[in-house]
Amino acid sequence: MKKVNSVEEYIETHENFYEALTLLRDLVNNTELVETLKWSAPVYTINGKNVLGFSAFKEHFGIWFFNGVFLKDEHKLLVNAQEGKTKALRQMRFSTIDDIDKNIVLMYVMEAIENQKSGKALKTDRSKKETIIPIELQQLLDKNRELDTSFNQLTPYKQREYCEHIASAKREVTKQSRLDKMKPMILKGMGLHDKYKKA
């Protein structure tokens, strides 16, 4: 994950989608959402809570809705990146700027804002020990197929350790540092604490 210092820089590093990302950015910036940069990607918040973010890859780009599970999705545009694992996150994917219907996208964005204001959030039953993949890890897995495959081959317990390790970090810089350290361990099929067990 390339480190960027601004939303402008993020968009410029994805020049194949520059116009499309600029269009989405302008659309979102005309709402009451506050533009920030988290996990080296644009994230838009309200009252300090994450509502949506942008992502761009080689073949597609899109919008992450942090609590997308609550969106009505009347136009059937949302996908769950990892069925059975990703609970609240939903992504709206595009291949070209022509795929973007500004009115429909805005409708989804406004609904996401209202949902956040009303406090809609997924309640998790801790007793069931489900794995909730933090968005910053999910973005890394989306960008790296080998890493995604390695992560999915880990036991649920090891996956959960990594997810909780990222989720527990308070600062973005800490999350990024943890991701950088985790990557080679995941690729080797190691759990988070395996290196300590072998020491």
Side-chain angles (χ1 to χ4, degrees):
M1 198 184 300
K2 185 180 183 295
K3 179 79 171 150
V4 296
N5 299 306
S6 68
V7 173
E8 289 81 3
E9 193 181 335
Y10 180 88
I11 291 173
E12 283 164 12
T13 60
H14 297 92
E15 53 189 64
N16 51 331
F17 297 129
Y18 180 84
E19 278 185 70
L21 288 169
T22 301
L23 173 69
L24 289 178
R25 183 190 187 199
D26 291 344
L27 195 70
V28 174
N29 276 336
N30 278 319
T31 70
E32 60 192 294
L33 291 174
V34 176
E35 184 176 80
T36 62
L37 190 74
K38 296 185 180 185
W39 318 298
S40 293
V43 173
Y44 296 83
T45 67
I46 192 162
N47 301 324
K49 300 285 188 184
N50 299 331
V51 177
L52 61 92
F54 295 159
S55 57
F57 308 101
K58 283 182 183 174
E59 305 295 328
H60 69 275
F61 61 97
I63 304 175
W64 280 106
F65 290 97
F66 284 82
N67 277 306
V69 68
F70 295 111
L71 294 171
K72 295 189 193 90
D73 195 18
E74 291 169 13
H75 296 274
K76 303 289 179 259
L77 297 176
L78 301 179
V79 293
N80 185 337
Q82 290 201 318
E83 284 292 343
K85 291 187 180 177
T86 307
K87 301 296 180 186
L89 283 172
R90 293 294 181 271
Q91 191 181 39
M92 186 184 282
R93 291 181 184 168
F94 309 101
S95 299
T96 71
I97 193 169
D98 297 328
D99 295 340
I100 300 171
D101 182 317
K102 290 195 287 187
N103 292 328
I104 291 176
V105 171
L106 188 60
M107 184 178 80
Y108 277 68
V109 170
M110 297 310 289
E111 186 187 350
I113 292 170
E114 288 311 309
N115 285 347
Q116 185 59 59
K117 282 180 170 178
S118 67
K120 282 190 180 177
L122 209 58
K123 303 285 187 290
T124 56
D125 181 358
R126 292 287 172 204
S127 65
K128 285 191 177 170
K129 284 288 184 190
E130 59 194 5
T131 304
I132 299 168
I133 300 177
I135 188 169
E136 50 278 293
L137 177 56
Q138 184 66 63
Q139 287 179 333
L140 191 61
L141 296 175
D142 284 346
K143 287 181 183 176
N144 188 323
R145 189 166 291 167
E146 187 187 356
L147 189 70
D148 187 47
T149 301
S150 297
F151 184 78
N152 283 315
Q153 287 172 348
L154 293 173
T155 63
Y157 176 77
K158 288 180 178 179
Q159 289 181 0
R160 204 157 43 242
E161 279 187 331
Y162 281 119
C163 291
E164 288 171 358
H165 190 52
I166 292 299
S168 67
K170 298 283 187 282
R171 296 167 60 230
E172 307 306 329
V173 67
T174 309
K175 288 182 192 246
Q176 188 59 52
S177 169
R178 288 182 181 182
L179 282 170
D180 293 341
K181 287 175 185 166
M182 282 164 44
K183 194 173 167 184
M185 294 170 66
I186 293 172
L187 287 169
K188 287 178 188 170
M190 294 171 65
L192 182 64
H193 303 297
D194 284 4
K195 63 179 178 180
Y196 302 115
K197 290 171 190 168
K198 291 171 185 173

